[in-house]
Amino acid sequence: MRFLDIIEKKKNKEVLSDQEIQFFIDGVTDESIPDYQISALLMAIRLNGMDEHETAKLAEAMMHSGDVIDLSDIEGIKSDKHSTGGVGDKTSLALGAMVAACGLKLAKMSGRGLGHTGGTLDKLESIEGFNIALSEEEFKKQVSEIGLAIIGQTGDLVPADKKLYALRDVTGTVDSIPLIASSIMSKKLASGSDTILLDVKYGEGAFMHTVEDAKKLARAMISIGKKLGKNTMAMITDMNQPLGNTIGNALEVKEAIETVKGEGPKDFTELCLTAGEIMLMQANKASNKKEARAMLEEAIKSGKAYEKLEKMVIYQGGNVEQIRNTDLLPQAKYKTDLESKEEGYIENIHSMGLGIAAMKLGAGREKKEDEINYGVGLKMNAKKGDYVKKGHILCRVYHDEPLSDEWIEDFYKTFTYKDQKVDPIPIVEEILD
């Protein structure tokens, strides 16, 4: 088989066979195909697409390019949840504790943040001593015993994806739904869970900017999951403003703790409860949404959800005193309140701009080698649709260095106002299965 023929075939909008896709991924993994030829095929896929079967086969071949975690010796249904990323997205921390308190087993492998979105692992590592590098045996033992573990990727998981992602990043082929879907699902499938819930975000602070594109991506990932025998569902959720009230690692951990105690922001709590309903029904722990929500609300009210979060921190070596007293989490040197210069209804809060602002404080990475400052970030005091007067505090900024005039000017550009009332958008747009 010649790789040039495969490039020609996709260039001419033809469907690749299973054998050709496997040959492609084998060549990526063992480095027998040069980068320039791989890049040519990636561009052909970006321009001409792939059908459902091709995309599923690509995900499956990538999944088997390295280790595949076997969770079958853990009793019960194992669940996983994946977010496509957004500003202020600390969902896994709160949701994991909630569903585990309802008897579900969440075995989750997460990533780090790059750019304007923070990664779950970075948030967890703002807890002193928290170990995200459990061995496969430790990971399985923890899931089995307490029903909840969140770690970084173990071993040699999906090496083909790492190579392809690096090439896509420098060849203008990131924005391809078959390539995005197969990249995400190969990692989820290799992680070994029985059910998968996808939180596909749309809007300015998300990877997919429109509802339509978010739905296309969600349907592509659901199709892959189903073709490979996994119960897969998706939520389409709004990211046209930050999720919850906080952006920044320790601040988001604190908000997740407040949420599992029933004291979290309305939008973030609703997202967690809706996701929890789906996950409990996927795992046959609840027969309908009403029953599932009642279970989740009871887990919060009784304190069981908070206890699960504590247990996960203890099991993974974290300083649990920082969970019991969040004032012990990393703190910034300075706190500065920024007040509204205008009066009116808030029409837009540009998530991307706020995510970048937080990154510039040190809450995120511009380059992979950048170090995270866990204590800095933003705590918002306004949401879309709120009426604010001049002097209303829009945000408290937690920072270690003085705020520059340019930073403050960019911050104010993230808000736009209107004279008429603005109706808030529901956090969950649609649920797809």
Side-chain angles (χ1 to χ4, degrees), residues 23-213:
F23 181 78
F24 165 41
I25 295 303
D26 288 344
V28 169
T29 308
D30 65 18
E31 300 185 342
S32 60
I33 301 171
D35 286 359
Y36 58 84
Q37 283 195 311
I38 295 169
S39 300
L41 182 59
L42 290 173
M43 185 56 78
I45 292 168
R46 164 65 185 83
L47 295 174
N48 296 326
M50 286 182 135
D51 68 19
E52 279 190 5
H53 181 82
E54 283 177 294
T55 307
K57 184 62 193 176
L58 180 61
E60 184 180 19
M62 287 164 68
M63 171 182 80
H64 288 295
S65 67
D67 297 342
V68 176
I69 308 294
D70 180 8
L71 301 179
S72 60
D73 50 351
I74 299 173
E75 199 177 316
I77 290 173
K78 281 71 67 181
S79 299
D80 197 359
K81 166 255 163 201
H82 174 80
S83 167
T84 56
V87 179
D89 187 0
K90 70 287 291 176
T91 310
S92 296
L93 283 67
L95 174 62
M98 290 178 192
V99 295
C102 295
L104 194 60
K105 291 193 167 124
L106 184 75
K108 178 152 177 55
M109 292 187 187
S110 288
R112 297 197 178 279
L114 187 62
H116 72 281
T117 59
T120 299
L121 299 183
D122 302 311
K123 290 162 202 187
L124 288 169
E125 285 187 329
S126 67
I127 303 165
E128 183 187 5
F130 194 96
N131 179 20
I132 54 96
L134 301 184
S135 69
E136 190 177 327
E137 291 69 31
E138 290 167 331
F139 177 58
K140 292 202 275 196
K141 183 173 183 284
Q142 185 173 319
V143 173
S144 191
E145 289 181 5
I146 67 167
L148 175 63
I150 303 175
I151 63 168
Q153 283 187 14
T154 63
D156 190 26
L157 210 74
V158 198
D161 180 60
K162 295 184 185 82
K163 178 72 182 284
L164 289 179
Y165 198 90
L167 283 175
R168 284 168 57 207
D169 205 29
V170 294
T171 57
T173 54
V174 169
D175 60 339
S176 159
I177 283 178
L179 295 176
I180 298 167
S182 56
S183 171
I184 291 170
M185 290 303 291
S186 63
K187 294 191 282 279
K188 292 291 102 185
L189 293 162
S191 300
S193 290
D194 303 306
T195 71
I196 301 166
L197 173 63
L198 303 158
D199 178 0
V200 184
K201 299 192 177 297
Y202 73 92
E204 199 211 57
F207 194 69
M208 310 310 283
H209 293 305
T210 67
V211 173
E212 293 72 26
D213 283 346

Side-chain angles (χ1 to χ4, degrees), residues 129-416:
F130 194 96
N131 179 20
I132 54 96
L134 301 184
S135 69
E136 190 177 327
E137 291 69 31
E138 290 167 331
F139 177 58
K140 292 202 275 196
K141 183 173 183 284
Q142 185 173 319
V143 173
S144 191
E145 289 181 5
I146 67 167
L148 175 63
I150 303 175
I151 63 168
Q153 283 187 14
T154 63
D156 190 26
L157 210 74
V158 198
D161 180 60
K162 295 184 185 82
K163 178 72 182 284
L164 289 179
Y165 198 90
L167 283 175
R168 284 168 57 207
D169 205 29
V170 294
T171 57
T173 54
V174 169
D175 60 339
S176 159
I177 283 178
L179 295 176
I180 298 167
S182 56
S183 171
I184 291 170
M185 290 303 291
S186 63
K187 294 191 282 279
K188 292 291 102 185
L189 293 162
S191 300
S193 290
D194 303 306
T195 71
I196 301 166
L197 173 63
L198 303 158
D199 178 0
V200 184
K201 299 192 177 297
Y202 73 92
E204 199 211 57
F207 194 69
M208 310 310 283
H209 293 305
T210 67
V211 173
E212 293 72 26
D213 283 346
K215 287 180 184 177
K216 279 181 198 168
L217 177 58
R219 289 190 182 106
M221 293 193 288
I222 291 169
S223 172
I224 292 169
K226 287 185 172 176
K227 280 179 183 293
L228 297 174
K230 300 288 183 182
N231 180 325
T232 309
M233 292 181 67
M235 303 190 300
I236 309 297
T237 63
D238 175 45
M239 192 31 74
N240 281 302
Q241 63 177 334
L243 180 58
N245 296 332
T246 56
I247 309 167
N249 299 284
L251 293 170
E252 291 188 47
V253 169
K254 184 177 180 181
E255 190 163 82
I257 294 164
E258 289 165 355
T259 303
V260 298
K261 288 180 172 180
E263 299 157 7
K266 190 177 172 185
D267 63 334
F268 179 54
T269 301
E270 181 57 31
L271 181 75
C272 290
L273 290 171
T274 304
E277 288 170 6
I278 299 166
M279 292 173 75
L280 291 176
M281 289 189 292
Q282 280 182 300
N284 301 318
K285 292 287 180 186
S287 54
N288 56 57
K289 285 170 69 174
K290 189 178 177 184
E291 184 188 343
R293 184 159 291 226
M295 289 168 69
L296 292 159
E297 287 173 344
E298 174 56 27
I300 293 167
K301 190 178 171 187
S302 65
K304 287 179 183 173
Y306 170 73
E307 285 169 20
K308 281 292 179 188
L309 190 59
E310 264 199 5
K311 265 188 182 171
M312 180 178 77
V313 171
I314 292 166
Y315 263 68
Q316 292 186 235
N319 180 357
V320 75
E321 293 308 317
Q322 291 181 318
I323 305 304
R324 293 169 182 159
N325 176 8
T326 54
D327 289 341
L328 299 175
L329 286 164
Q331 300 269 353
K333 287 179 193 170
Y334 310 112
K335 297 171 189 173
T336 301
D337 290 338
L338 295 180
E339 299 174 351
S340 179
K341 295 176 179 179
E342 298 181 47
E343 183 171 345
Y345 292 97
I346 294 176
E347 180 186 22
N348 271 309
I349 303 176
H350 296 294
S351 308
M352 176 80 82
L354 290 173
I356 291 168
M359 181 186 74
K360 287 179 176 175
L361 296 174
R365 295 181 186 82
E366 208 160 356
K367 303 184 295 294
K368 278 185 183 175
E369 57 272 19
D370 289 349
E371 282 194 26
I372 293 280
N373 182 335
Y374 296 113
V376 300
L378 309 172
K379 184 167 186 184
M380 309 304 295
N381 192 37
K383 300 292 271 187
K384 278 172 74 171
D386 288 355
Y387 184 80
V388 298
K389 293 185 175 181
K390 284 183 185 177
H392 175 92
I393 294 169
L394 293 175
C395 173
R396 175 165 285 179
V397 185
Y398 295 77
H399 54 112
D400 279 356
E401 303 294 334
L403 299 175
S404 69
D405 292 342
E406 183 189 4
W407 191 96
I408 293 169
E409 189 183 329
D410 287 344
F411 169 81
Y412 279 113
K413 284 178 187 170
T414 63
F415 288 82
T416 59

